[in-house]
Amino acid sequence: MSAAPVPEMADCAAACADRLHEAGRVIVASHIDADGLTSAAVAGAALERAGIPHEQTFYDQLDAEAVAELAATDYDVVLFTDFGSGQLDDIAVHEERGDFVPVVADHHQPADGVETEYHLNPLLFGINGARELSGAGAAYVLARALERDGVDNRDLAATAVVGAVGDMQAVDGELVGANAALVEDGVAAGALAEGKDLAVYGKQTRPLPKLLEYATDTHIPGISNSYTGAVEFLEGLDVDCRSEEREWKRWVDLTDDERRRVASALVRHAMSRGVPAGKIDDLVGTTYTLANETPGTELRDASEFSTLLNATARYDRADVGLAVCLGDRDGALDTARTLLRTHRRNLSEGLNWVKEHGVTDEPNLQWFDAGDEIRETIVGIVAGMSMGTAGVDRSKPVIAFAEESPEETKVSSRGTGTLVRKGLDLSAVMGEAAEAVGGGGGGHDVAAGATIPAGTEREFIDHANQLVGEQLG
Ligand SMILES: [Mn+2]
């Protein structure tokens, strides 16, 4: 049976799987983020079930040095997941020398002018790698091709869906295309449930007032960003939102009927406060529930699960994230939760730092230099959160610096949808301004990053300010 969205991809997956079955020992190398961790878990579980000896390793960035490190090991096959396509040039050097046979399951843009035999990437088969299949999805297609002797890997679709959601592939909250086929597999295997529900983050774990306070994608006047407003709204309902111990319930603790009543009261409240109809529709969306996980835990909801994984990745604990994906519900889960709490605390401390220190205003942008006060791995999120909350204007993009090493500075930038519609492309800004000062960068139009030599920050800002000015004309 094949899970591949098109026959050509199925053929490619079959060839990759055959090569892995022939391998003596395989090392799986994966990217450190939610999609990379779930890619590793899907591939690892499938190799395990196929009886193929393997080890796992992770890299934040797959550069020539990392590939050389893999080449120096004594594994005959390296399975790259959630990266590898963009580094085929570095990989080819070692492939030609016979250091290892590469098998690549990725969804990023392949490097130009170089190919390899075992290369499973949706982009090669006319499938959108940003919206329709993630790294974990590519690993899942491979996992299905690895099935032998009655093995059924369809349950792994649930893990792959966590990866797709973590990779921000859901369009208006819903997975589409090849991702939708993955959802069907997961549902058929009993590992996943798909449903329409309030499209707010934290339905499994947040107490109701916090759930509504933090529901800011659709701004609800009087409730979003207001704990007391959320409490008042809930107390005005004819729904028992507290337990017998008077503790706030979570969304998951309510009955279906109670949920419907809270949701429609929320819609009525939003309408009465003039929230546009289009925005109100966004309050309800598709949720992906991991049917085999305990209700009320982060693992039950694909979105909360992927956040938990991201927290492990940002603090260099890929081992913890992988163990959670592979079913460790004791030590690894506790550690992951501790990392998530630390992450949230660091974010709020970072935001307070920005509030206290403020930003420097330029004609076309605003910026702050956090030095070593905010970790470089989270400074981008803090910059995004600061817009509109920490005295940071939403009319201009924000750029943040943090120390990466004594020699290098990490740059993060964030814009808004409105600025992007006016022409802002931070990916180009980061790329060009970084190049001008001897660094490198890129990303997305609304959020991008760079690494530049320490000491070039002022020069970088001047270039970026000019570039943004040209884009917004
Ligand atoms: Mn990915």
Side-chain angles (χ1 to χ4, degrees):
M1 240 205 85
S2 165
V6 294
E8 294 77 11
M9 192 170 181
D11 292 344
C12 177
C16 294
D18 286 345
R19 186 63 192 84
L20 287 164
H21 273 285
E22 278 164 33
R25 294 166 74 224
V26 176
I27 186 159
V28 185
S30 307
H31 188 216
I32 307 189
D33 68 3
D35 191 29
L37 287 166
T38 48
S39 302
V42 168
L47 291 169
E48 188 69 38
R49 293 172 186 179
I52 302 168
H54 62 281
E55 297 280 339
Q56 301 265 9
T57 187
F58 294 90
Y59 292 96
D60 189 26
Q61 256 176 14
L62 187 69
D63 51 17
E65 203 182 318
V67 179
E69 197 177 288
L70 289 163
T73 63
D74 57 0
Y75 296 90
D76 48 338
V77 173
V78 181
L79 171 56
F80 295 91
T81 66
D82 197 33
F83 57 23
S85 293
Q87 297 79 19
L88 281 182
D89 40 1
D90 292 327
I91 290 169
V93 175
H94 295 280
E95 183 180 8
E96 280 158 23
R97 274 192 218 144
D99 293 342
F100 58 73
V101 172
V103 177
V104 178
D106 189 10
H107 66 129
H108 294 99
Q109 195 61 44
D112 277 337
V114 43
E115 243 318 328
T116 189
E117 192 175 354
Y118 306 109
H119 186 195
L120 190 66
N121 184 323
L123 297 169
L124 302 176
F125 307 102
I127 296 154
N128 185 325
R131 289 288 177 226
E132 291 187 75
L133 205 66
S134 72
Y140 175 74
V141 171
L142 178 62
R144 295 300 309 280
L146 278 163
E147 294 173 352
R148 302 281 188 278
D149 309 322
V151 168
D152 182 351
N153 283 335
R154 285 176 307 166
D155 60 322
L156 301 178
T159 310
V161 162
V162 173
V165 169
D167 207 62
M168 317 292 270
Q169 297 218 341
V171 181
D172 295 327
E174 188 164 356
L175 293 172
V176 297
N179 277 327
L182 249 69
V183 172
E184 270 176 42
D185 274 12
V187 171
L192 201 65
E194 183 184 19
K196 289 279 173 210
D197 202 345
L198 195 64
V200 163
Y201 178 87
K203 292 192 286 289
Q204 295 291 327
T205 57
R206 282 185 171 157
L208 286 166
K210 288 272 168 206
L211 180 81
L212 299 182
E213 176 192 359
Y214 291 130
T216 50
D217 282 351
T218 291
H219 185 86
I220 308 166
I223 294 179
S224 299
N225 292 323
S226 168
Y227 184 81
T228 50
V231 167
E232 217 171 286
F233 166 77
L234 291 164
E235 284 177 338
L237 299 177
D238 188 22
V239 173
D240 209 349
C241 293
R242 296 191 200 238
S243 68
E244 278 167 24
E245 294 78 36
R246 305 305 296 154
E247 299 274 352
W248 285 105
K249 290 180 184 170
R250 300 161 301 181
W251 188 255
V252 64
D253 301 322
L254 300 176
T255 64
D256 287 347
D257 177 57
E258 287 171 333
R259 275 182 226 154
R260 265 192 297 273
R261 276 151 61 200
V262 177
S264 48
L266 199 61
V267 166
R268 279 196 307 276
H269 176 98
M271 280 167 66
S272 74
R273 301 298 178 98
V275 177
K279 278 298 207 179
I280 287 175
D281 289 346
D282 294 348
L283 279 172
V284 174
T286 307
T287 53
Y288 301 99
T289 304
L290 282 86
N292 297 328
E293 302 293 346
T294 311
T297 66
E298 301 86 349
L299 310 175
R300 182 81 170 174
D301 176 86
S303 173
E304 291 195 59
F305 197 153
S306 74
T307 302
L308 187 73
L309 293 178
N310 266 322
T312 70
R314 282 183 200 281
Y315 298 89
D316 251 335
R317 293 303 305 271
D319 58 321
V320 172
L322 177 64
V324 170
C325 288
L326 289 175
D328 186 330
R329 296 291 169 266
D330 301 311
L333 182 55
D334 287 341
T335 308
R337 284 176 171 153
T338 305
L339 288 165
L340 182 59
R341 274 195 299 276
T342 307
H343 180 52
R344 294 206 163 120
R345 194 177 57 235
N346 288 344
L347 290 181
S348 96
E349 284 175 6
L351 198 57
N352 283 335
W353 188 92
V354 179
K355 273 182 202 160
E356 268 168 43
H357 292 78
V359 292
T360 306
D361 232 1
E362 305 288 339
N364 304 313
L365 56 83
Q366 50 201 333
W367 62 278
F368 64 87
D369 185 350
D372 62 0
E373 297 285 331
I374 302 176
R375 285 176 76 104
E376 51 103 357
T377 51
I378 64 163
V379 73
I381 314 178
V382 172
M385 287 167 66
S386 75
M387 297 193 86
T389 61
V392 181
D393 204 338
R394 286 180 69 84
S395 71
K396 292 190 277 197
V398 61
I399 290 180
F401 297 113
E403 188 181 302
E404 191 164 313
S405 70
E407 297 80 36
E408 286 182 317
T409 297
K410 168 77 182 284
V411 192
S412 298
S413 61
R414 293 292 184 275
T416 65
T418 309
L419 288 167
V420 168
R421 282 189 289 278
K422 286 181 186 160
L424 180 72
D425 178 3
L426 288 172
S427 174
V429 173
M430 290 292 107
E432 288 173 43
E435 203 170 313
V437 300
H444 308 280
D445 47 15
V446 72
T451 299
I452 58 171
T456 63
E457 293 84 1
R458 180 68 247 179
E459 199 187 336
F460 178 91
I461 286 295
D462 291 337
H463 284 289
N465 180 57
Q466 189 188 338
L467 290 163
V468 173
E470 286 163 12
Q471 288 178 352
L472 298 177

